[in-house]
Amino acid sequence: MPKRYWLMKCEPSAYTIDDLARDGKTCWEGVRNFQARNFMRDTMQLDDGVLFYASNADPSGVTGVARIARTGYPDHYAWQKGHKYYDAKSTETEPVWFMVDLAFVERFPITVSLATLKTTRGLEEMKVVQKGSRLSVQPATKAEYQTVVRLGRKMQSTTS
DNA sequence: GCCAACGTTGGC
DNA sequence: GCCAACGTTGGC
């Protein structure tokens, strides 16, 4: 099975690429959208590439790269009464919500801002640049992934 | 902080 | 099954 590529959003107030660099690995709990869940539960594979996207940030954009370190498994936070991700519809025998683990790969020297993504040739079809695109877990193509990674490393290569 | 776009819920 | 109301996301 060929490697797949993704973009995953997170608000900096919740988690950042620096947090991931520090932790090395983290579980991606709290996704409560069926489409995003399906990607995590059914489609993501070990070592898939993930563009780490900071939403509601200044500026919003891709701040680095992660990889899938563990494929879909039940989000146990949904079972913890009182937890902000608690959902009575999800049980241990019939889990509704799933998560994956991400491992840190690299932090870009600069944020590849949404504005940059929107004006970069080859990224016109990317989900995140479409108007009203709120899905927090989105598939990306290999070409899109490689283009964004190149942009993220650009500053480093041109200043060295 | 505003508000457009979207997903979900619930009345009918 | 329709659709209005509501809550959330997320750019600006």
Side-chain angles (χ1 to χ4, degrees):
Chain A
M1 205 58 114
K3 184 168 165 172
R4 294 175 200 262
Y5 299 90
W6 307 93
L7 179 144
M8 295 173 78
K9 296 181 188 174
C10 188
E11 300 201 8
S13 59
Y15 205 76
T16 67
I17 191 72
D18 290 321
D19 292 331
L20 186 57
R22 180 199 62 216
D23 297 342
K25 196 174 137 181
T26 191
C27 61
W28 207 251
E29 79 279 8
V31 173
R32 296 292 178 266
N33 170 283
F34 289 105
Q35 227 183 320
R37 177 208 66 183
N38 292 347
F39 286 134
M40 294 199 295
R41 187 189 60 184
D42 306 330
T43 320
M44 284 183 174
Q45 299 166 60
L46 212 57
D47 289 326
D48 278 359
V50 177
L51 297 170
F52 192 103
Y53 182 92
S55 60
N56 262 317
D58 189 22
S60 295
V62 179
T63 54
V65 174
R67 64 180 173 82
I68 302 300
R70 183 179 172 186
T71 55
Y73 62 105
D75 182 343
H76 56 260
Y77 290 93
W79 306 333
Q80 293 176 21
K81 242 191 182 116
H83 195 277
K84 74 172 185 171
Y85 293 134
Y86 175 71
D87 183 350
K89 293 190 289 295
S90 187
T91 64
E92 292 196 41
T93 45
E94 283 185 73
V96 174
W97 303 114
F98 285 73
M99 58 187 175
V100 295
D101 287 355
L102 294 191
F104 177 76
V105 174
E106 73 176 277
R107 180 194 192 285
F108 292 155
I110 48 155
T111 297
V112 182
S113 68
L114 180 60
T116 300
L117 296 175
K118 280 179 173 169
T119 55
T120 300
R121 285 189 61 184
L123 301 183
E124 297 87 353
E125 303 293 314
M126 222 179 159
K127 300 273 189 305
V128 74
V129 307
Q130 309 304 318
K131 192 178 174 187
S133 162
R134 298 187 346 188
L135 197 58
S136 66
V137 178
Q138 313 177 345
T141 67
K142 184 176 186 177
E144 288 164 350
Y145 174 88
Q146 288 174 338
T147 298
V148 174
V149 169
R150 214 173 295 132
L151 287 169
R153 292 174 180 162
K154 199 173 174 183
M155 187 66 84
Q156 208 163 38
S157 58
T158 52
T159 52
S160 59

